[in-house]
């Protein structure tokens, strides 16, 4: 796009700036629309599992319900507790929302369709997504209220616990792909399963790591059964307790943007990203972005399914799963995969 603007007579610096802004808007605006629609979709999933109807009044089939909810919170007054740290209180939801958006800069939607195709894209995702916990911690502390503060402490411990496991899972993927570039990881999955299936998860050594990654991604986004951060029966609404109006809405937007991101990462890292499920030539005529969206939709359905059916863990169970099960398991598989690749890909150990 930059070359197009330069060809039209624009200076290179301005052409790059305009092209980058357009690229950001092309990702951010559909993402905001997607957040509104997946909230509606998830409520429909919950309703179907509970044999209820879900949103069905505002707009045809209730499609405009999320927009009505957004308008409602937009028109409400922003209330700041008198004892709160006003600056940090207002910055926290902005941090949460912004961090949820910046990670999308390196997500490839199709061959060449990515805002920043950097060589260390996976490291960027890990680093940027880990910043999201700061919004929760700052919100909990600046509210100067006990329930939000407890929520902030829980968020910090939970994020650390599961990011360690996610890090080792990503090492397994990088060992097989040989690159940190997300587009490169997708390309390495072409015909990976017996020359037929386009997915790392078809491998018996990587499928358990996908299960660990999928469960950990629910913990990273504070989804049921790992929603101890905002457990309504214990902490009212967790770090969001003192928030109202658009500051409250920004937390929700950030949370669901992170959920969509985790669905995309599940598809890209383990299930072929924009590639069709099977390495069959006619399937490649379907645009890659459609395959990616279909896979993301499947994972989002699984997120909603788990939330509607699985009860919340106790906090000790949550910590035990992260430190005593996922961490040792992911470490063992790093060793197994490294050894297997040394024997099969690199011709055995050095003499």
């Amino acid at each position: 796009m930059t070359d197009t603007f330069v060809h039209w007579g624009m200076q290179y610096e301005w052409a790059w700036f305009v092209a980058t802004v357009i690229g950001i808007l092309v990702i951010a605006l559909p993402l905001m629309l997607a957040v509104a629609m997946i909230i509606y979709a998830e409520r429909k999933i919950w309703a179907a599992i509970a044999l209820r109807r879900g949103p069905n009044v505002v707009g045809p089939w209730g499609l405009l319900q999320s927009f009505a909810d957004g308008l409602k919170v937009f028109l409400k007054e922003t209330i700041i507790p008198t004892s709160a740290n006003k600056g940090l209180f207002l910055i926290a939801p902005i941090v949460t929302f912004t961090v949820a958006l910046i990670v999308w800069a390196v997500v490839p939607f199709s061959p060449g369709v990515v805002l920043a195709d950097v060589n260390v894209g996976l490291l960027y995702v890990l680093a940027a997504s880990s910043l999201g916990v700061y919004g929760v911690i700052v919100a909990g502390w600046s509210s100067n209220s006990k329930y939000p503060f407890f929520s902030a402490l829980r968020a910090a411990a939970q994020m650390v616990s599961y990011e360690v496991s996610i890090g080792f899972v990503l090492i397994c993927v990088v060992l097989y792909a040989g690159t940190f570039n997300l587009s490169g990881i997708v390309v390495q999955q072409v015909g990976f399963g017996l020359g037929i299936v386009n997915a790392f998860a078809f491998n018996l050594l990587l499928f358990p790591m996908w299960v660990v990654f999928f469960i950990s991604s629910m913990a990273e986004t504070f989804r049921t059964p790992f929603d101890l951060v905002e457990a309504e029966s214990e902490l009212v609404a967790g770090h969001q307790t003192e928030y109202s109006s658009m500051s409250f809405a920004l937390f929700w937007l950030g949370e669901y943007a992170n959920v969509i991101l985790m669905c995309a990462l599940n598809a890209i890292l383990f299930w072929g990203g924009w590639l069709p499920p099977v390495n069959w030539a006619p399937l490649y005529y379907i645009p890659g972005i459609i395959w990616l969206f279909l896979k993301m939709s499947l994972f989002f359905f699984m997120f909603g399914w788990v939330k509607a059916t699985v009860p919340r863990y106790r906090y000790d169970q949550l910590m035990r799963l992260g430190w005593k099960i996922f961490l040792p398991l992911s470490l063992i598989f790093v060793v197994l995969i490294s050894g297997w690749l040394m024997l099969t890909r690199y011709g055995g150990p050095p003499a």
Side-chain angles (χ1 to χ4, degrees):
M1 189 181 293
T2 302
D3 294 337
T4 303
F5 288 131
V6 170
H7 181 71
W8 290 350
M10 192 179 291
Q11 291 183 358
Y12 178 81
E13 291 78 9
W14 281 105
W16 175 86
F17 176 76
V18 173
T20 303
V21 170
I22 291 174
I24 292 171
L25 292 177
V26 166
I27 293 175
L29 296 181
L31 182 62
M32 292 300 95
L33 179 63
V35 166
M37 297 317 298
I38 68 164
I39 292 175
Y40 164 80
E42 188 168 49
R43 292 174 69 178
K44 280 291 190 182
I45 292 169
W46 299 341
I49 291 174
L51 299 179
R52 299 170 74 172
R53 293 186 64 185
N56 60 84
V57 175
V58 185
W61 304 290
L63 284 169
L64 300 179
Q65 182 65 56
S66 294
F67 299 99
D69 293 339
L71 179 63
K72 179 179 73 175
V73 296
F74 180 75
L75 295 175
K76 286 184 176 293
E77 179 186 1
T78 299
I79 299 172
I80 302 174
T82 54
S83 58
N85 185 313
K86 185 175 180 180
L88 293 177
F89 185 83
L90 294 175
I91 287 173
I94 298 172
V95 169
T96 301
F97 177 66
T98 305
V99 168
L101 288 184
I102 62 174
V103 186
W104 285 90
V106 296
V107 174
F109 297 94
S110 201
V113 184
V114 55
L115 185 61
D117 195 20
V118 295
N119 289 331
V120 289
L122 199 53
L123 287 179
Y124 173 84
V125 168
L126 192 62
S129 60
S130 65
L131 295 174
V133 72
Y134 287 106
V136 177
I137 292 173
V138 171
W141 182 84
S142 64
S143 296
N144 198 20
S145 176
K146 286 186 174 58
Y147 284 152
F149 186 61
F150 288 152
S151 171
L153 295 177
R154 286 185 173 190
Q158 183 170 328
M159 186 73 79
V160 170
S161 301
Y162 286 87
E163 272 189 356
V164 175
S165 301
I166 285 180
F168 285 118
V169 171
L170 297 184
I171 289 174
C172 296
V173 174
V174 170
L175 286 171
Y176 258 103
T179 177
F180 282 96
N181 182 278
L182 291 176
S183 298
I185 290 172
V186 173
V187 171
Q188 290 297 319
Q189 298 180 60
V190 176
F192 184 79
L194 303 176
I196 301 171
V197 181
N198 296 328
F200 274 157
F202 193 78
N203 187 306
L204 290 178
L205 286 174
L206 285 176
F207 182 79
M209 290 297 91
W210 167 69
V211 174
V212 171
F213 184 82
F214 179 74
I215 297 173
S216 297
S217 61
M218 286 191 284
E220 280 284 290
T221 51
F222 308 124
R223 300 278 295 182
T224 305
F226 305 102
D227 58 339
L228 274 298
V229 171
E230 48 195 68
E232 72 281 349
S233 60
E234 305 165 22
L235 303 179
V236 186
H239 57 283
Q240 307 168 21
T241 301
E242 305 293 346
Y243 283 88
S244 61
S245 186
M246 281 306 294
S247 55
F248 178 80
L250 286 177
F251 279 117
W252 273 79
L253 290 172
E255 177 183 334
Y256 276 92
N258 278 325
V259 169
I260 302 175
L261 173 70
M262 285 301 177
C263 294
L265 289 178
N266 273 278
I268 290 167
L269 297 177
F270 292 96
W271 294 97
W274 66 73
L275 299 172
V278 179
N279 193 22
W280 185 43
L283 294 178
Y284 286 91
Y285 288 107
I286 300 174
I289 195 169
I290 293 178
W291 287 118
L292 179 61
F293 285 166
L294 287 174
K295 293 172 184 177
M296 288 168 61
S297 300
L298 174 62
F299 289 123
F300 181 73
F301 173 77
M302 293 170 68
F303 268 69
W305 186 5
V306 169
K307 184 162 185 171
T309 54
V310 180
R312 181 183 297 126
Y313 276 12
R314 293 196 317 266
Y315 201 75
D316 62 296
Q317 292 174 324
L318 180 140
M319 288 292 117
R320 184 175 67 88
L321 181 66
W323 290 107
K324 293 188 176 181
I325 299 176
F326 282 177
L327 179 58
L329 186 66
S330 56
L331 267 173
I332 290 169
F333 270 86
V334 168
V335 175
L336 288 176
I337 290 171
S338 302
W340 175 255
L341 290 177
M342 284 296 296
L343 290 173
T344 58
R345 184 181 295 180
Y346 303 110

